[in-house]
């Protein structure tokens, strides 16, 4: 069974003056139902402010909480922070943390939002308000749920905010494979970065992943993986450039799950990027990603039980 974290307030209307919509987070749940995937929905609580303030500047957290984000930060984020946007900004990190807690029990769990990897300490950026990956990793370690967390980011855009917020920590390893020529123009140094050329396609992308992810997992030896499973490397994505096919994304997700499942490492996934005019098509890509990971982890768990891996 898939353990899926979702909150109705992940869905929010587009803020005035913005074309960014939050409806895909509801459409993903429709796509999950279409697939008849056996799942249990877990409802998150908002992340307590003290844990967000452990990663983000206190003044910025207050700006978001009071819906008083300055204009220059609104431009960086890409949409105004209304009351509904503020509410979901606190919910998404709570969802990623809850997915991680469920993964520690069940092996794999998914958050139907999150992956907001561009948010920096004092400002959001790139459609990200708070960095749920960094917030969740910090809390999990602080509360002794994990000692070492590996954040695997395979969104088409580099996880620059996560890299900046977790820089210098020996207990968090940030791994990012992304399109080098894509946003952000100025990259931040992760524990491991690989910027790929545009239009690389399935074969070369998967070869790069195979060449580097096992080394990161094997050398860092995490006891939990947070996976930013953005679907924007897809060839039809409006903001992507890497030209992965449906099959390429499936192979990518199966490979990541294999690195966790074959070693018995719990893994929690977040949505990350996925953009296009046909939002239901984007939602189905996310749902297919979650289904792929669910089925792959179940297979690895069964193989480990039989002593096959």
């Amino acid at each position: 069974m898939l353990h899926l974290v979702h909150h109705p307030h992940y869905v929010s209307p587009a803020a005035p003056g913005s074309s960014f919509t939050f409806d895909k987070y509801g459409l993903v749940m429709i796509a999950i139902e279409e697939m008849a995937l056996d799942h249990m929905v877990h409802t998150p609580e908002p992340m307590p402010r003290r844990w967000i303030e452990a990663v983000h500047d206190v003044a910025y957290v207050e700006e978001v909480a009071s819906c008083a984000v300055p204009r220059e930060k609104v431009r960086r984020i890409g949409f105004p922070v209304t009351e509904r946007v503020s509410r979901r900004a606190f919910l998404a990190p709570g969802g990623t943390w809850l997915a991680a807690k469920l993964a520690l029990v069940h092996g794999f769990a998914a958050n139907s939002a999150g992956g907001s990897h561009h948010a920096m300490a004092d400002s959001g950026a790139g459609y990200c308000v708070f960095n749920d990956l960094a917030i969740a990793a910090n809390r999990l370690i602080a509360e002794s749920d994990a000692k070492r967390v590996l954040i695997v980011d395979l969104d088409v855009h580099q996880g620059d905010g996560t890299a900046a917020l977790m820089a210098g920590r020996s207990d968090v390893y940030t791994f990012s494979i992304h399109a080098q020529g894509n946003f952000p123009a100025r990259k931040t140094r992760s524990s491991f970065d690989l910027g790929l050329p545009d239009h690389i396609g399935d074969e070369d992308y998967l070869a790069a992943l195979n060449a580097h992810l096992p080394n990161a997992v094997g050398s860092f030896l995490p006891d939990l993986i947070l996976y930013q499973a953005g679907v924007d490397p897809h060839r039809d994505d409006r903001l992507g450039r890497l030209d992965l096919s449906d099959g390429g994304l499936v192979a990518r997700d199966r490979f990541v799950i294999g690195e966790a499942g074959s070693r018995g490492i719990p893994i929690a996934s977040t949505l990350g990027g996925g953009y296009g005019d046909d939002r239901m098509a984007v939602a189905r890509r996310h749902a297919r990603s979650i289904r792929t990971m669910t089925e792959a982890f179940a297979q690895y768990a069964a193989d480990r039980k039989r002593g096959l891996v």
Side-chain angles (χ1 to χ4, degrees), residues 256-272:
V256 174
I257 290 296
E259 289 304 302
S262 63
R263 293 175 167 89
I265 302 171
I267 180 167
S269 72
T270 65
L271 246 57

Side-chain angles (χ1 to χ4, degrees), residues 123-189:
S123 177
Y127 305 142
C128 304
V129 181
F130 293 142
N131 194 308
D132 59 290
L133 297 160
I135 294 165
N138 179 71
R139 181 178 178 181
L140 290 160
I141 291 169
E143 294 187 325
S144 300
D145 290 310
K147 293 181 180 178
R148 299 164 70 81
V149 175
L150 169 62
I151 301 175
V152 175
D153 191 328
L154 299 184
D155 195 277
V156 79
H157 307 102
Q158 194 221 20
D160 57 331
T162 312
L165 293 170
M166 298 289 96
R169 293 188 63 149
S170 61
D171 50 5
V172 179
Y173 189 104
T174 52
F175 179 100
S176 181
I177 294 182
H178 49 269
Q180 183 62 28
N182 214 327
F183 179 89
R186 181 178 296 176
K187 307 295 192 284
T188 303
R189 189 178 212 174

Side-chain angles (χ1 to χ4, degrees), residues 242-260:
L242 295 180
D243 288 358
L244 296 194
S245 67
D246 289 343
L249 282 179
V250 166
R252 177 200 72 170
D253 292 335
R254 287 191 64 85
F255 187 82
V256 174
I257 290 296
E259 289 304 302

Side-chain angles (χ1 to χ4, degrees), residues 108 227 229 253 257 269 289-298:
F108 171 70
Y227 177 30
D253 292 335
I257 290 296
S269 72
S289 174
I290 292 170
R291 181 181 66 185
T292 295
M293 290 186 281
T294 302
E295 293 173 349
F297 198 91

Side-chain angles (χ1 to χ4, degrees), residues 63 67-81 123-124:
E63 289 168 353
C67 302
V69 177
R71 185 175 302 172
E72 64 274 13
K73 295 184 183 181
V74 167
R75 283 198 298 268
R76 283 180 230 158
I77 294 169
F79 47 76
V81 177
S123 177

